[in-house]
Amino acid sequence: MRRAPVVAPADLYGKRRSDRAIRVIDAAARARLRWTTLINRYATAGAADDHRITLQVTQRRVEAHDTDVISLLLTAPDGRVLPSWRPGAHLDLELPSGRLRQYSLCGDPADRHVYRIAVRRIPDGGGGSREVHDALPVGSAVTVRGPRNAFPFVLPGYGSHAARVHFVAGGIGVTPILPMVRMAQRLGVDWSMVYTGRSRDTIPFLDELEALGPRVRVRTDDEFGLPGAADLLAGVGPDTAVYCCGPVPMTAAIAAAVRDMSGVELHSERFSAPPVVAGAAFEVELARTGEVIAIPADRTVLEEVLKVRPDRPYSCRQGFCRTCRVTALSGNVDHRDTVLTEAERADGELLICVSRCAGERLVLDL
Ligand code: FES
């Protein structure tokens, strides 16, 4: 595992923060951890179940006003049974513009006739969430791929050595967690949950979770202040599996804390691109136009290419979906994905959301 960069991190929701948390994270990065990452899980669980079907939006509902979260129900126009899924699974949505975006399934896996997803509008994001909000009204058609499960829920006694489960969700990160919690409740698993966000108005599905009883602890910043990892892991002891989904700073803080906890396993999914670690500046030349783009040490090739090629496709931004794949015509690639084969790499292919240059310049077939 690469070490975290020694820079002031964002706080649990992405705001800048310069305090001792960075020292904790950096020190803990050296310790061993049973951390199941989205990327690693995807490598073993992804490709075999890639259905592609066109569904219809049959319901839209506002789930959190302050953070502009809506849920969509998707059904087959002919009412047929949909492919099955398990908690932690997601759909790839092919949006009208051609963008491909992933959204966790947050409904009931037992209901084989409807999928539910939830999307938070990100005004300054890549445009995918805005498109879902603005271009998918009730009645519209949308093609989906999947479901695929990159974040499987492993029940105690059925592959997990843990005796109990603790869930941590931050804001919209609750979407893959919600079906897990329901399954744990239904099957009588010993579980607990902390649900965090800025305020109760900003976190979706609060009513559904609180209906599950006192095992759910809602911890909002406006009531209790910004949480640290100790707050989110309060009461967690040995033989516990922690399932965590939320902003990158939150999952990083949880990961750092769990590294020091004996007998605790962590399963984590992040909803945004990880920070560039141990990056160096270099240049990218776009062969078809001759444009040369500077890639700063802390930025990805994809981020900089999108500034001049805003239509370039991408999805996960974490090096596992292959959507951003391009061919390098010259230069030494520093591959940082986990999915390209040696043959693909030998052909010059790279995933520009994570991979970099092991030199001064890459010439890309763009
Ligand atoms: S965007 Fe998914 S691999 Fe690059």
Side-chain angles (χ1 to χ4, degrees), residues 111-167:
D111 187 344
R112 297 291 307 279
H113 289 88
V114 63
Y115 291 146
R116 182 173 73 165
I117 60 170
V119 181
R120 180 166 74 95
R121 181 192 288 272
I122 304 174
D124 55 354
S129 68
R130 293 199 303 274
E131 194 172 346
V132 171
H133 277 247
D134 298 338
L136 292 182
V138 170
S140 58
V142 61
T143 298
V144 307
R145 303 180 196 171
R148 291 187 280 194
N149 201 329
F151 185 32
F153 179 42
V154 186
L155 284 167
Y158 293 88
S160 170
H161 299 297
R164 61 186 303 275
V165 180
H166 181 70
F167 301 101

Side-chain angles (χ1 to χ4, degrees), residues 102 302 313-325 337 339 351-354:
Q102 299 169 324
L302 176 65
Y314 68 92
S315 182
C316 71
R317 293 181 295 155
Q318 297 173 53
F320 65 81
C321 75
R322 297 170 178 257
T323 307
C324 67
R325 178 166 49 174
D337 67 278
V339 295
L351 302 180
I352 58 173
C353 64
V354 290

